[in-house]
Amino acid sequence: MTVQHKKSSLAALTLAAVGIVYGDIGTSPLYTLKTIFDPEHGLVLNEFNLLGIISLIFWGLTTIVSLKYVSLVLRADNRGEGGIMALMALALGSVAKNSRWHYWLMLLGVFGATMFYGDSVITPAISVLSAIEGLEVAAPGLEQYVVPLTIVVLVTLYAVQRHGTAGIGRWFGPVMVLWFVALAVMGLINIAAAPRILWALNPLHALRFMLENRMIAFVALGAVVLAFTGAEALYADMGHFGKRPIRVAWFLIVFPALAVNYLGQGALLLTHPEAISNPFFQQLGAWSVYPLVVLSTLATVIASQATISGTFSMTKQAIALGLLPRMRVMHTSASEIGQIYIPAVNWLQLSVVLLAVIGFGSSDKLAGAYGIAVTATMLATTFLTFFVIRFRWHLPLWLSFASTGFFIVIDILLFSACTLKLFHGGWFPLLLAIILFTVMLTWKRGRELVFQNLQKHAIPLEDFLSSLFVAPPTRVYGTAIFLRGESDGVPHALLHNLSHNKVLHERVVFFTVHVVEEPFVAEAEQVKVTDLGHQCYQLNVYYGFKDEPDIPRVLALCECIGLPFEMMETSFFIARQTVISTPGAGMATWREHLFVTMSRNARGAADYYQIPTNRVIELGTQVEI
């Protein structure tokens, strides 16, 4: 019975992984070949070039996705979690905090994360656009409706995010399996009509193509990379499904279907080169166009959903790691903790996606923007993986270089090819990344300045308590909990309370939240209590960057270690900091004003930590930076 249960669980997880993980890379056949042979690239459509391109795509899928991501990078899990943020935390944890590498690894991880945000904006835009563009094949007169219909689909998709995907999510897997079956069937039909396309499986065709075409081939690489978009998603979603279902889904369903379809599109172009205007929708003839538009629209919506959910998840991790201000996070499923909705991110992302759709107007023009975002994230991932292999797994230096050096060369080559598109759309994700990079580093640096200011005026807690109880103030009934920073002295809220009310609760708890560079912390290790004497306690709570902050639940855990809490007899004292920008040392004036604006609009600590609002007392304090 146990074995059967495991088999059915693997099958269910594999089906779910097909639906969530592989939507992005699975919809790449919609636009890849059309973009590669775009007249702007100067690549002539002939048999030699076609065999070379198909060979590049096939061996690219084999090396970049199968070898690098599925075989190597999936091993670099942070307690089962994946993605650029989890990998950054893993890499940072592998070197000492005072190491010269620590700061640069943090910058590299943040850069990779910001490029992932760029990718998550372009994916919905280019995917849905390319699906709706199938209408142009069926009826060229419908071209003017492509952008309006794309906008309608995208607005609808983002509008339903607050309801979560629990209801329709169960259909993602079956729909994407149908999509991959359709890809494979179309590919096989076209391969049967022109079997000589199978020569492309020989990697020598890719090599000859690169050597003979040189600069034109290098330019074409910037479009070939479109076939590998979504590789980062399979690593980012590892925490949801585990390594094995992702690997099984790739090798049994996704890779064979993609390889066969690219070969099939190549076979079609060998016999009907005029189909290059949109080879995907011409694989089966005119009768199939409308059904394919419907199916591809469903597939691209699912692919877009995966990137939107990924953006929510990454934002939550960035907040926990101190790279973004606290925001409102809503849970859309009572049973699935990973299903979240962040309103601010949702509507901001939709605005940028619509700008991309309206500004670029077609999938061809967006393709240049897509490649640079994908390859930059890939490159950051490979560099971070090297540090994990070398300093966390302690493998020999030669083996660490051997296992990542090959991929670094490929990533640099692909990224360099994509930079040629800098003025043809590549500036768009770079601009987004620069803005987000600036925001994240400004927030991180601003918090450091606030911390330094508080440290300058901090009063050591133990010394303060010793002097306080020489002539103790009046104690009143109940428990007072004071939120306190990791290295703060006496909380300002306590000083204000003593100064104005001249009383102290009969039990005082200093509450400090520590976020560790791991995704989760076991419940047994989350709470540590230190008795400071005189019914005063230091309560340290440890969260991973994917844990859900929930103070009432933590207080319930304290009962097991002899510190019970009655919520109706407990008051939470929180100091709300008003940050003020002052001339002099610190950051540039514009960055300080940016930080002050973010700080004022950040979600309150009481709301973020789910403290009952009727138990909170907020006291204001000013901090200069």
Side-chain angles (χ1 to χ4, degrees):
M1 286 297 288
T2 308
V3 175
Q4 184 61 38
H5 175 69
K6 284 183 180 175
K7 282 184 179 176
S8 63
S9 296
L10 177 61
L13 285 170
T14 301
L15 180 64
V18 171
I20 300 296
V21 177
Y22 292 110
D24 191 353
I25 198 169
T27 52
S28 295
L30 280 165
Y31 45 79
T32 299
L33 279 179
K34 181 178 69 164
T35 305
I36 291 170
F37 287 101
D38 189 305
E40 287 187 10
H41 296 155
L43 187 63
V44 178
L45 177 56
N46 56 39
E47 185 166 334
F48 175 81
N49 288 342
L50 192 57
L51 287 173
I53 287 294
I54 299 298
S55 186
L56 273 174
I57 291 173
F58 176 81
W59 289 104
L61 288 171
T62 302
T63 54
I64 294 172
V65 186
S66 299
L67 293 181
K68 176 186 166 182
Y69 278 96
V70 178
S71 301
L72 174 64
V73 177
L74 280 184
R75 296 176 187 272
D77 66 295
N78 195 336
R79 294 203 174 186
E81 288 296 321
I84 191 83
M85 283 288 187
L87 186 64
M88 179 185 75
L90 205 60
L92 290 175
S94 66
V95 297
K97 286 207 170 183
N98 57 358
S99 164
R100 62 195 174 99
W101 289 110
H102 195 274
Y103 178 72
W104 292 107
L105 286 175
M106 186 273 292
L107 285 185
L108 185 62
V110 172
F111 172 73
T114 58
M115 293 307 290
F116 180 84
Y117 277 111
D119 183 10
S120 68
V121 164
I122 299 169
T123 294
I126 193 172
S127 299
V128 178
L129 256 178
S130 59
I132 305 293
E133 281 170 352
L135 293 174
E136 298 175 15
V137 178
L142 296 175
E143 181 181 351
Q144 59 183 318
Y145 298 107
V146 169
V147 170
L149 281 173
T150 300
I151 291 172
V152 169
V153 170
L154 289 169
V155 170
T156 304
L157 174 63
Y158 279 86
V160 301
Q161 290 303 308
R162 62 192 179 91
H163 301 295
T165 58
I168 60 171
R170 66 174 69 97
W171 297 103
F172 286 1
V175 169
M176 290 309 296
V177 167
L178 178 62
W179 170 254
F180 286 115
V181 168
L183 290 183
V185 169
M186 289 190 296
L188 289 171
I189 290 171
N190 285 291
I191 291 170
R196 67 183 187 278
I197 193 64
L198 294 175
W199 285 109
L201 296 177
N202 183 347
L204 288 177
H205 282 286
L207 188 60
R208 286 180 194 142
F209 169 80
M210 294 298 295
L211 291 176
E212 293 201 18
N213 284 291
R214 302 205 177 175
M215 191 58 196
I216 292 177
F218 184 63
V219 173
L221 273 182
V224 169
V225 76
L226 296 173
F228 319 133
T229 59
E232 194 69 31
L234 69 88
Y235 177 50
D237 286 315
M238 178 168 57
H240 294 283
F241 305 103
K243 300 173 192 176
R244 197 175 172 205
I246 289 174
R247 285 174 173 155
V248 170
W250 172 252
F251 286 114
L252 288 188
I253 300 171
V254 182
F255 183 33
L258 288 175
V260 168
N261 191 261
Y262 282 119
L263 286 164
Q265 287 191 49
L268 172 70
L269 294 174
L270 282 176
T271 54
H272 298 88
E274 71 281 0
I276 192 57
S277 60
N278 202 322
F280 180 85
F281 286 102
Q282 298 184 54
Q283 289 180 88
L284 296 180
W287 68 269
S288 66
V289 175
Y290 287 115
L292 279 176
V293 168
V294 173
L295 182 58
S296 59
T297 301
L298 288 173
T300 54
V301 165
I302 291 170
S304 303
Q305 177 60 56
T307 59
I308 295 167
S309 300
T311 305
F312 293 156
S313 179
M314 183 171 285
T315 301
K316 186 169 177 287
Q317 293 177 36
I319 292 169
L321 289 170
L323 293 168
L324 285 174
R326 291 188 295 261
M327 301 179 201
R328 187 181 178 206
V329 179
M330 297 168 60
H331 291 269
T332 57
S333 171
S335 57
E336 201 53 59
I337 195 167
Q339 289 192 13
I340 58 173
Y341 168 65
I342 305 178
V345 173
N346 186 69
W347 299 116
L348 190 60
Q349 188 178 23
L350 173 62
S351 303
V352 182
V353 169
L354 293 182
L355 277 176
V357 170
I358 296 166
F360 287 92
S362 72
S363 59
D364 292 344
K365 292 176 181 175
L366 262 171
Y370 208 3
I372 204 163
V374 172
T375 51
T377 310
M378 285 179 174
L379 188 57
T381 295
T382 310
F383 272 112
L384 291 171
T385 303
F386 168 79
F387 280 88
V388 173
I389 292 172
R390 176 72 182 111
F391 298 106
R392 193 169 188 100
W393 299 350
H394 305 294
L395 294 182
L397 186 61
W398 68 268
L399 186 56
S400 302
F401 273 123
S403 56
T404 57
F406 173 65
F407 299 120
I408 285 174
V409 170
I410 291 176
D411 290 341
I412 290 174
L413 188 64
L414 292 174
F415 180 70
S416 302
C418 290
T419 56
L420 297 175
K421 294 282 192 146
L422 190 61
F423 299 107
H424 298 277
W427 58 269
F428 183 67
L430 276 180
L431 179 62
L432 289 178
I434 289 168
I435 293 170
L436 281 167
F437 192 77
T438 303
V439 166
M440 285 185 173
L441 291 190
T442 298
W443 181 257
K444 186 173 180 62
R445 178 60 183 152
R447 293 306 302 165
E448 288 171 357
L449 291 173
V450 168
F451 172 75
Q452 289 169 14
N453 181 285
L454 293 174
Q455 282 288 93
K456 275 194 296 187
H457 303 98
I459 303 168
L461 181 62
E462 288 77 8
D463 296 345
F464 175 80
L465 292 177
S466 297
S467 62
L468 179 67
F469 288 107
V470 170
T474 304
R475 307 292 290 262
V476 296
Y477 179 72
T479 299
I481 296 180
F482 294 91
L483 265 65
R484 178 173 177 250
E486 288 187 27
S487 302
D488 287 356
V490 181
H492 283 199
L494 174 60
L495 296 174
H496 280 298
N497 190 46
L498 284 170
S499 173
H500 294 287
N501 298 324
K502 308 291 190 297
V503 295
L504 192 70
H505 284 71
E506 65 178 354
R507 189 170 64 163
V508 177
V509 176
F510 301 101
F511 191 102
T512 304
V513 175
H514 304 262
V515 178
V516 299
E517 290 176 346
E518 293 176 0
F520 300 103
V521 175
E523 274 197 2
E525 301 169 12
Q526 277 188 348
V527 179
K528 291 182 181 175
V529 176
T530 304
D531 190 340
L532 303 175
H534 304 284
Q535 283 285 81
C536 296
Y537 303 89
Q538 172 63 47
L539 175 57
N540 290 312
V541 177
Y542 297 86
Y543 283 128
F545 57 79
K546 289 202 76 174
D547 277 320
E548 181 62 26
D550 187 346
I551 286 182
R553 191 183 61 79
V554 163
L555 297 184
L557 293 175
C558 291
E559 190 166 353
C560 302
I561 52 177
L563 192 66
F565 288 90
E566 175 56 53
M567 195 57 71
M568 295 308 295
E569 298 172 2
T570 302
S571 299
F572 294 83
F573 290 82
I574 298 174
R576 178 174 280 276
Q577 296 167 349
T578 301
V579 182
I580 299 172
S581 172
T582 55
M587 296 184 288
T589 304
W590 67 269
R591 288 186 71 193
E592 288 190 354
H593 286 304
L594 174 61
F595 176 75
V596 168
T597 302
M598 288 193 290
S599 181
R600 287 176 180 171
N601 289 282
R603 188 181 176 194
D607 190 23
Y608 184 73
Y609 290 120
Q610 302 184 44
I611 303 171
T613 52
N614 62 340
R615 309 308 309 163
V616 174
I617 299 166
E618 282 196 348
L619 298 164
T621 180
Q622 287 190 343
V623 182
E624 294 181 350
I625 59 170

